[in-house]
Amino acid sequence: MTSAGATSAGAEPPLRRLTARGALTRDRIVRAAADLMHANGVAGTTMDQVVEASGTSKSQLYHYFDDKDALVTAVIKMQTARVMQVQEPHLEQLSSLQGLRRWRDEIVRFVDERHGANGCAIGSLATELSDRSEPARILINAAFQSWESYLTAGISRMQERGEIDRTADAATLATGILAAYQGGYLLSQARRSAQPMALALDLAIRNVEALALEQKPASGAVS
Amino acid sequence: MTSAGATSAGAEPPLRRLTARGALTRDRIVRAAADLMHANGVAGTTMDQVVEASGTSKSQLYHYFDDKDALVTAVIKMQTARVMQVQEPHLEQLSSLQGLRRWRDEIVRFVDERHGANGCAIGSLATELSDRSEPARILINAAFQSWESYLTAGISRMQERGEIDRTADAATLATGILAAYQGGYLLSQARRSAQPMALALDLAIRNVEALALEQKPASGAVS
């Protein structure tokens, strides 16, 4: 993942205009904080640890972030950008059941390689912060909604192409698939196995497959 | 929830035989720790806070628990007991699609009353601890497996009663339903709405409903 990619995807309105060097320093701080918080939790990460891990100074840290809450906001945005950077290439072209299954296979392969470890960066933040910080909850919810909207758009394209029944509610199916992803990941983390993720996604996707219309694929269908 | 219920359900082999009074003190410590850790995370909870919240002394705390890890183990067991105490009455008699829908309705009502807040106590511990403590992960995974086994048994009973197709794998369906519960809860927490939980469970349960055989319910079916 390039620095430029994650930064642009997680762009937040700059409160002060940063120099190129300042932007790099700020980025280094957020990356270090994101990694520490993913490994040890937000509550388990101190500002001192972020200073040490980022190789910056305390005055630099507080130059860019008034307090830990401000840093957490930047971390949520960066993690959202990181996750969406992985998800977008798979989802933005999604227009067929085959594409949905390919997305499922990519996820299961990814989780399998790590034996279920790490979990979803946004899901972890959601569990830790949703009840503890309203600004954090709003950002995390927006990340989930954005993620769901990619799935909704993909399912809608399957409907437009005539591959699946148009009367089904695409947004409902998208919520179910994202819930299966999040819950599947959580069970995979606990079991150290990709199997729960695979089963959960298969079950959710089966609801979309059940809508398949019996006809030849329309022209333009993904092979 | 009665003290006796949670204690018996979360029974762990006592390392030392406790007096009745000692057992109550230990229980008070674990309850305080469980509530603090659910509210602020394990990493966000100190032993000093547990002493204060439980109204005990530091020497009492360390009399029962050698260190924070030992206390966390007791908390996982207590939270598992608490969750299963709520789940068991609904799941141990589960033997029909109607019963499965009633379970779904109870959950959605519960989540709706809290506007999605709090989340699943075991799910939260899973997210925070699965990658950070192998003994904790093993206990949490066992809790999920036990939960799944109730769902598996209930689906198997539907198969035995001839309500649904016998050839489907009950355990696979159970994993999918628990994943939908966990992921639905996570999205409901972030959205402050029971809707994701409802949609996720509906989608997972639809896979079981799709197995329904067209025949009159066998005698003994739950009304």
Side-chain angles (χ1 to χ4, degrees):
Chain A
M1 186 179 316
T2 65
S3 165
T7 307
S8 66
E12 55 244 20
L15 292 177
R16 339 173 159 80
R17 191 158 288 280
L18 301 179
T19 61
R21 189 182 177 137
L24 281 175
T25 304
R26 185 186 182 286
D27 194 60
R28 203 160 74 229
I29 292 169
V30 180
R31 270 165 202 287
D35 293 343
L36 282 168
M37 289 172 182
H38 190 53
N40 307 316
V42 173
T45 302
T46 65
M47 294 296 256
D48 285 342
Q49 288 168 335
V50 175
V51 166
E52 193 180 323
S54 61
T56 54
S57 68
K58 209 154 187 170
S59 68
Q60 279 179 306
L61 175 58
Y62 283 100
H63 174 71
Y64 295 108
F65 303 100
D66 288 340
D67 51 24
K68 191 174 170 182
D69 283 350
L71 180 58
V72 169
T73 295
V75 165
I76 295 170
K77 289 177 178 174
M78 176 174 278
Q79 294 291 39
T80 301
R82 282 175 167 178
V83 170
M84 293 319 294
Q85 206 176 14
V86 173
Q87 291 292 319
E88 269 166 13
H90 296 281
L91 292 180
E92 67 190 357
Q93 302 296 328
L94 178 64
S95 63
S96 68
L97 288 172
Q98 199 174 2
L100 191 59
R101 275 183 229 113
R102 267 203 302 268
W103 174 73
R104 174 261 184 224
D105 290 345
E106 280 295 312
I107 291 165
V108 172
R109 193 180 53 75
F110 183 91
V111 174
D112 189 44
E113 282 169 4
R114 287 152 188 80
H115 306 289
N118 296 334
C120 172
I122 304 178
S124 306
L125 290 167
T127 302
E128 185 170 4
L129 299 175
S130 287
D131 286 350
R132 294 173 207 159
S133 161
E134 187 61 8
R137 182 193 71 74
I138 289 166
L139 279 177
I140 290 163
N141 187 44
F144 283 142
Q145 302 264 23
S146 161
W147 196 343
E148 275 183 51
S149 73
Y150 277 99
L151 285 162
T152 302
I155 294 167
S156 297
R157 282 189 288 270
M158 294 177 212
Q159 293 178 311
E160 285 154 22
R161 284 182 44 250
E163 188 181 14
I164 63 168
D165 187 353
R166 274 171 183 272
T167 59
D169 186 49
T172 294
L173 293 164
T175 301
I177 293 170
L178 185 58
Y181 177 100
Q182 291 295 333
Y185 221 153
L186 197 144
L187 297 184
S188 278
Q189 244 187 313
R191 201 173 303 175
R192 280 275 177 275
S193 155
Q195 205 204 15
M197 176 64 102
L199 298 179
L201 286 179
D202 285 345
L203 232 63
I205 289 173
R206 211 181 287 167
N207 285 281
V208 189
E209 292 173 334
L211 300 169
L213 299 175
E214 300 212 11
Q215 62 168 45
K216 283 179 224 144
S219 65
V222 178
S223 67
Chain B
M1 184 177 317
T2 64
S3 166
T7 306
S8 65
E12 55 245 22
L15 292 176
R16 340 172 161 80
R17 191 158 287 282
L18 300 180
T19 61
R21 189 181 178 140
L24 280 175
T25 304
R26 186 187 182 285
D27 194 60
R28 202 159 78 229
I29 293 169
V30 180
R31 270 165 202 285
D35 292 344
L36 283 169
M37 289 175 182
H38 190 53
N40 307 316
V42 173
T45 301
T46 65
M47 295 295 258
D48 284 342
Q49 288 169 334
V50 174
V51 166
E52 193 179 324
S54 62
T56 53
S57 67
K58 209 154 185 169
S59 68
Q60 279 178 305
L61 175 57
Y62 284 99
H63 173 72
Y64 295 108
F65 303 99
D66 287 340
D67 52 24
K68 191 173 169 183
D69 283 350
L71 180 57
V72 169
T73 295
V75 165
I76 295 170
K77 289 178 179 174
M78 176 175 279
Q79 293 291 39
T80 301
R82 282 175 168 179
V83 170
M84 294 318 295
Q85 205 176 14
V86 173
Q87 292 292 319
E88 269 167 12
H90 296 282
L91 292 180
E92 67 190 357
Q93 302 297 328
L94 178 65
S95 64
S96 69
L97 288 172
Q98 199 173 2
L100 191 58
R101 276 184 227 111
R102 266 203 304 267
W103 174 73
R104 173 262 185 224
D105 291 345
E106 280 296 313
I107 291 164
V108 172
R109 193 180 54 74
F110 183 91
V111 174
D112 189 44
E113 281 169 4
R114 286 152 189 81
H115 305 291
N118 296 334
C120 171
I122 304 177
S124 306
L125 290 167
T127 302
E128 186 170 4
L129 299 174
S130 287
D131 286 350
R132 294 173 206 160
S133 161
E134 187 61 8
R137 183 192 72 74
I138 288 166
L139 278 176
I140 290 163
N141 187 43
F144 283 142
Q145 302 265 24
S146 160
W147 196 343
E148 276 184 50
S149 72
Y150 277 99
L151 286 162
T152 302
I155 294 167
S156 297
R157 281 189 289 269
M158 294 177 214
Q159 293 177 312
E160 284 154 21
R161 284 182 43 250
E163 188 181 15
I164 63 169
D165 187 353
R166 275 171 182 271
T167 59
D169 185 49
T172 294
L173 293 163
T175 301
I177 293 170
L178 185 58
Y181 176 101
Q182 291 295 333
Y185 221 153
L186 197 145
L187 297 183
S188 277
Q189 243 187 315
R191 201 173 302 176
R192 280 274 177 276
S193 156
Q195 205 203 14
M197 176 63 102
L199 298 179
L201 286 178
D202 285 345
L203 233 63
I205 288 173
R206 211 182 287 165
N207 285 282
V208 189
E209 292 173 333
L211 300 169
L213 300 175
E214 301 211 11
Q215 61 169 46
K216 284 180 221 140
S219 65
V222 179
S223 65

